[in-house]
Amino acid sequence: MKLWGDGVMEYWAESRNPTLQHSNTPSSSRSLIFAMSTTGDHSPLAAELRKISGLKVKMAEPLARYTSMKVGGSADYFLEVENEAALAELVRVLNGHQESFWLLGNGSNVLISDRGVRGAILRLTGEFKIIQFEEMAGIAKVTAGAAVSIGQLARDTARRGYAGLEFAEGIPGSVGGALYMNAGAYGSELEQVVDQVELMTARGEPLCLTRGEMTFSYRDAHLPSGAVVMRVRMGLRKEEPAQVSARLRELARKRKASQPSGSPNSGSMFRNPPGDYAGRLIDAAGLKGTRIGACQISERHGNFIVNQGGAKAAEVRQLMELAKSEVRKKFGIELVAEVKLLGDWQSQ
């Protein structure tokens, strides 16, 4: 089993892929192109899925509407999970059928193939969108469901005078995805405020990890293999609401001034290499504004690719490959994709 972060977390039944890794850190020996399910007749699984209370089942569901780039084909199964009991049963059923499945957050860190995804896409909703607040001795404990928008949570906590999440304003992902990717900006990362994490294991059993039991690194929380994030508890400082909100507005202003807005995009396409910035390298390679079909490397920020209307996933990938090639040629630096490729890319 393997999982990825905010755009998508990925899983396979253990008997089919016993050697896959759980780490989000790229390696030269592991492809970012996900394998496809070989399941044939879907009807027995579909019938069993429809018996699960708290689960909404859609067949051949178009996925472009669920991603921030607004591209991609359909999924065989699109499963909206409303509560913990439904999630536990669903994981057991899918593993029992040896069906591949992927957890999709807010779709901000994924590029889905135009040919779609064979297998199941899971999306958390219902009780996974609940936020709970608790104050004690100047510390605010905030427990957020994995499906909560991390940017909205940053704004909600700022209004209450809870400090520590201001950097997350404008990050388009979910809380679960932000945890998995150890999302960060402006010198801060989520690991700095995480207190406790509630997971669903690959066996469909709940698991709680404290901060001391977790290991974080750049854009990786190193979660247990196949685990699904359900809730994240954070410890934030109590300050004057006006001061926290002012800091959040200033960071929002900086983000708006430097990043594209108004056109669909997936956020940062590449990780920053050590001691440098992917956007600077792409800009220095003369690629800002470069266009293939209906997608374009942003004229405002080189590490963003925007959909100008009607773009294809294949066109986005071509621009990514162009950026990697030119940066490698001019600077000898190998850019590593932050966006994950999901679906049938072999035939494109």
Side-chain angles (χ1 to χ4, degrees), residues 4 24-32 109 181 218-219 267-274 277-279 281-282 303 320-321 323-325 327-328 332-341:
W4 295 100
N24 190 36
T25 302
S27 74
S28 58
S29 62
R30 188 173 70 230
S31 171
L32 293 180
N109 195 45
M181 291 291 293
Y218 177 66
R219 298 298 175 264
S268 297
M269 304 301 289
F270 298 98
R271 296 180 175 206
N272 289 324
Y277 297 94
L281 292 168
I282 294 170
N303 201 19
M320 292 178 67
E321 293 301 322
K324 289 182 63 176
S325 175
V327 168
R328 184 190 310 116
I333 295 175
E334 189 69 32
L335 291 179
V336 176
E338 186 164 311
V339 168
K340 313 306 175 188
L341 274 62

Side-chain angles (χ1 to χ4, degrees), residues 72-95:
S74 300
D76 291 341
Y77 304 95
F78 187 81
L79 309 173
E80 294 182 299
V81 191
E82 297 181 348
N83 55 61
E84 186 173 335
L87 178 61
E89 187 173 358
L90 172 60
V91 169
R92 291 192 289 266
V93 167
L94 290 172
N95 279 318

Side-chain angles (χ1 to χ4, degrees), residues 202-223:
R203 297 179 180 272
E205 301 168 345
L207 172 67
C208 183
L209 295 177
T210 64
R211 176 63 182 85
E213 296 172 311
M214 301 181 67
T215 300
F216 290 88
S217 63
Y218 177 66
R219 298 298 175 264
D220 200 342
H222 301 278
L223 297 177

Side-chain angles (χ1 to χ4, degrees), residues 60-123:
E61 179 73 1
L63 296 174
R65 68 188 65 173
Y66 301 103
T67 69
S68 58
M69 184 66 83
K70 304 304 178 188
V71 300
S74 300
D76 291 341
Y77 304 95
F78 187 81
L79 309 173
E80 294 182 299
V81 191
E82 297 181 348
N83 55 61
E84 186 173 335
L87 178 61
E89 187 173 358
L90 172 60
V91 169
R92 291 192 289 266
V93 167
L94 290 172
N95 279 318
H97 283 262
Q98 296 190 16
E99 181 62 85
S100 302
F101 62 99
W102 297 263
L103 181 62
L104 186 66
N106 283 3
S108 63
N109 195 45
V110 61
L111 183 63
I112 295 175
S113 164
D114 298 314
R115 297 176 65 87
V117 178
R118 307 288 71 76
I121 291 290
L122 279 57
R123 196 161 193 253

Side-chain angles (χ1 to χ4, degrees), residues 227-244:
V228 177
V229 180
M230 296 191 293
R231 299 172 193 87
V232 180
R233 189 175 75 184
M234 291 163 258
L236 305 179
R237 306 182 308 277
K238 187 72 175 70
E239 296 183 9
E240 285 297 322
Q243 295 176 349
V244 183

